[in-house]
Amino acid sequence: MSRPEHQAPPEIVYGGEEAAKYTGNSRIAAIQAEMASRAVELLNLPQGYSGYILDVGCGSGLSGEVLDEEGHIWVGFDISPAMLEVALDQEATGDLFLQDAGQGMAFRPGTFDGCISISVLQWLCNADKASHHPKARLTRFFSTLYSALRRGARAIFQFYPENDDQVQLIMGCAVRCGFEGGLVVDYPNSKKAKKFYLCLFAGQEINGVKQQLPAALGEDEEGEPDEHGVQYTSKKRSDSRIRSSKRKPLKDKNWVLKKKEQLRSRGDKTANDSKYTARKRRPKF
């Protein structure tokens, strides 16, 4: 099976009906949420801190839902207009705009507390047009991203490298633009669960403490695969259960009321608030 980036440019691969199919696929949504949660974990932000996060290649806002759940404010951009339309239909809470990552960004220096990106970076290694030069596009992207991050902030990229040369190209461009860090490979001995995360540091922390590359999951011991085929260590499974039990529901009444206020401020027609707002409804058969 050929890789998506070899089929056509991303705005075509994820254009039209394909954008809605991608977002509506429950398996893809679950995997995307799992990888986005891991990326947010690798950002290593203080517990309870609400950061201003950049989502590169935000697509239809699946990663943004994880950022919402963790209490962060986010801005996302994507090259696919169809994906952004789906995000708007899904009422994504982040600010969205159309942008090609290879052309760089124009944010003020030190704007963001962190950056995440899911399944995007490998697309920049392709030359979809005669004017596209992967090394130049990666350099432009990393140089403008480095400027947009506050000093000491992290950028986490989950991606699917095609080969070792592609990894070296990406990491080489990032280092030349000022980043430090390296590659974190979760479950390196599993064909299905293996995931690559490029963990970059935009300089060291202000207090001078040198940042360390996070430990990968599944290196020392093997756990039993869960229903999705992902292997967890027993500690990881227990930790995730503790977090999920303490996690508040994302779309509670306060979330719904806040969303309705946002819609009213934009002039959209919105139902009046009542005692039935955000109540649980019985499933329809």
Side-chain angles (χ1 to χ4, degrees), residues 163-184:
N163 48 49
D164 291 341
D165 290 340
Q166 198 173 85
V167 173
Q168 293 300 321
L169 172 64
I170 292 171
M171 294 185 65
C173 291
V175 170
R176 279 191 291 273
C177 293
F179 282 106
E180 302 175 40
L183 198 62
V184 176

Side-chain angles (χ1 to χ4, degrees), residues 92-137:
T93 57
D95 293 325
L96 307 172
F97 62 97
L98 185 67
Q99 176 70 21
D100 177 7
Q103 294 179 354
M105 298 156 285
F107 295 110
R108 290 180 178 178
T111 298
F112 297 103
D113 298 310
C115 167
I116 67 168
S117 178
I118 307 299
S119 308
V120 171
L121 207 52
Q122 68 272 9
W123 289 90
L124 291 178
C125 297
N126 273 18
D128 297 321
K129 301 177 181 177
S131 59
H132 284 184
H133 301 284
K135 187 175 181 179
R137 284 168 58 78

Side-chain angles (χ1 to χ4, degrees), residues 54 56 77 97-107 124 136-145 148:
L54 176 64
V56 175
F77 68 84
F97 62 97
L98 185 67
Q99 176 70 21
D100 177 7
Q103 294 179 354
M105 298 156 285
F107 295 110
L124 291 178
R137 284 168 58 78
L138 284 165
T139 301
R140 176 65 178 167
F141 169 67
F142 283 125
S143 62
T144 53
L145 176 63

Side-chain angles (χ1 to χ4, degrees), residues 11-278:
E11 62 270 29
I12 296 177
V13 174
Y14 299 112
E17 295 181 358
E18 289 302 318
K21 288 180 182 178
Y22 182 91
T23 307
N25 188 309
S26 59
R27 179 176 175 274
I28 291 177
I31 294 173
Q32 186 94 351
E34 183 72 27
M35 294 188 297
S37 295
R38 174 62 171 154
V40 173
E41 179 184 343
L42 292 172
L43 284 177
N44 196 34
L45 294 171
Q47 187 72 25
Y49 176 73
S50 179
Y52 194 42
I53 310 299
L54 176 64
D55 186 359
V56 175
C58 63
S60 57
L62 294 175
S63 303
E65 291 181 3
V66 175
L67 292 171
D68 287 333
E69 190 174 353
E70 296 293 336
H72 300 299
I73 302 169
W74 60 280
V75 173
F77 68 84
D78 200 277
I79 196 174
S80 170
M83 278 291 200
L84 293 176
E85 286 181 10
V86 174
L88 291 174
D89 292 339
Q90 300 273 347
E91 299 181 354
T93 57
D95 293 325
L96 307 172
F97 62 97
L98 185 67
Q99 176 70 21
D100 177 7
Q103 294 179 354
M105 298 156 285
F107 295 110
R108 290 180 178 178
T111 298
F112 297 103
D113 298 310
C115 167
I116 67 168
S117 178
I118 307 299
S119 308
V120 171
L121 207 52
Q122 68 272 9
W123 289 90
L124 291 178
C125 297
N126 273 18
D128 297 321
K129 301 177 181 177
S131 59
H132 284 184
H133 301 284
K135 187 175 181 179
R137 284 168 58 78
L138 284 165
T139 301
R140 176 65 178 167
F141 169 67
F142 283 125
S143 62
T144 53
L145 176 63
Y146 186 88
S147 173
L149 294 172
R150 65 169 175 80
R151 294 293 71 85
R154 294 186 179 187
I156 309 298
F157 299 88
Q158 182 279 324
F159 70 115
Y160 296 101
E162 187 173 2
N163 48 49
D164 291 341
D165 290 340
Q166 198 173 85
V167 173
Q168 293 300 321
L169 172 64
I170 292 171
M171 294 185 65
C173 291
V175 170
R176 279 191 291 273
C177 293
F179 282 106
E180 302 175 40
L183 198 62
V184 176
V185 184
D186 286 350
Y187 308 103
N189 299 320
S190 171
K191 290 184 178 180
K192 291 184 177 180
K194 187 175 183 180
K195 294 291 183 295
F196 292 82
Y197 294 89
L198 180 62
C199 185
L200 300 176
F201 312 138
Q204 297 301 324
E205 296 285 358
I206 297 176
N207 56 15
V209 178
K210 187 173 178 61
Q211 298 198 65
Q212 301 294 326
L213 197 65
L217 301 178
E219 282 188 326
D220 301 327
E221 51 182 311
E222 290 186 358
E224 295 180 1
D226 69 354
E227 62 271 17
H228 298 296
V230 179
Q231 294 184 348
Y232 295 95
T233 63
S234 57
K235 181 178 184 300
K236 178 63 180 176
R237 287 186 70 112
S238 61
D239 288 349
S240 64
R241 286 170 182 166
I242 292 172
R243 285 199 303 270
S244 62
S245 63
K246 294 181 179 178
R247 183 175 292 170
K248 295 180 180 179
L250 171 60
K251 298 183 180 179
D252 57 7
K253 187 170 183 177
N254 291 331
W255 184 91
V256 173
L257 292 173
K258 182 179 178 182
K259 174 61 69 174
K260 291 174 77 173
E261 280 300 318
Q262 290 177 348
L263 294 174
R264 290 190 185 108
S265 66
R266 293 198 317 225
D268 295 343
K269 187 176 180 181
T270 309
N272 295 328
D273 300 336
S274 71
K275 64 179 181 179
Y276 301 110
T277 300

